[in-house]
Amino acid sequence: QVQLVESGGGLVQAGGSLRLSCVAPESIFRLYGMAWYREAPGKQRELVARISSGTSGGIINYADFVKGRFTISRDNAKNTAYLQMNNLKSEDTAVYYCYVAGGRPSGYWGQGTQVTVSS
């Protein structure tokens, strides 16, 4: 069974930073693009950032609400994707999910990691 292991969430004050990590199985990580989504209570899951499977940075897209604050990256040697989150705001509070866009038609989702930004 494919399992994505997420870490790095927690409680942080507004203006602070967190770095999320997502470790995926070697069998799929290097083959597919990855993305970070988030889901706030009572709201739809939304795309935060995505990165292609290529090396040297790949093709990267960000949601408008995180541009200039968040950075997505991947280390294929470590089978790990990252989301560096700077200048966090209270509205960033959500469960953040790692997603691998391949391996099966629906892809694979991590279990989610809670990010809470206090005022």
Side-chain angles (χ1 to χ4, degrees):
Q1 195 83 344
V2 172
Q3 181 179 354
L4 308 183
V5 181
E6 299 161 313
S7 62
L11 175 64
V12 64
Q13 293 185 359
S17 299
L18 289 172
R19 190 190 195 195
L20 307 184
S21 299
C22 174
V23 181
E26 183 178 357
S27 61
I28 64 170
F29 181 84
R30 301 184 185 187
L31 298 177
Y32 307 110
M34 299 189 68
W36 289 96
Y37 287 75
R38 71 186 187 186
E39 185 174 332
K43 297 184 178 181
Q44 296 181 352
R45 189 171 299 183
E46 61 185 353
L47 177 69
V48 176
R50 57 188 174 194
I51 185 169
S52 71
S53 62
T55 58
S56 301
I59 301 172
I60 296 173
N61 297 100
Y62 294 102
D64 287 342
F65 53 80
V66 303
K67 285 184 177 179
R69 300 190 297 122
F70 292 7
T71 302
I72 188 172
S73 62
R74 64 188 296 157
D75 186 337
N76 288 347
K78 299 181 182 294
N79 301 317
T80 303
Y82 304 96
L83 184 68
Q84 178 67 46
M85 309 164 67
N86 297 327
N87 192 25
L88 284 161
K89 305 175 180 180
S90 60
E91 50 263 49
D92 295 319
T93 296
V95 177
Y96 285 71
Y97 295 90
C98 181
Y99 173 72
V100 175
R104 62 183 183 180
S106 62
Y108 292 94
W109 291 95
Q111 79 286 352
T113 183
Q114 175 70 233
V115 172
T116 302
V117 184
S118 66
S119 60

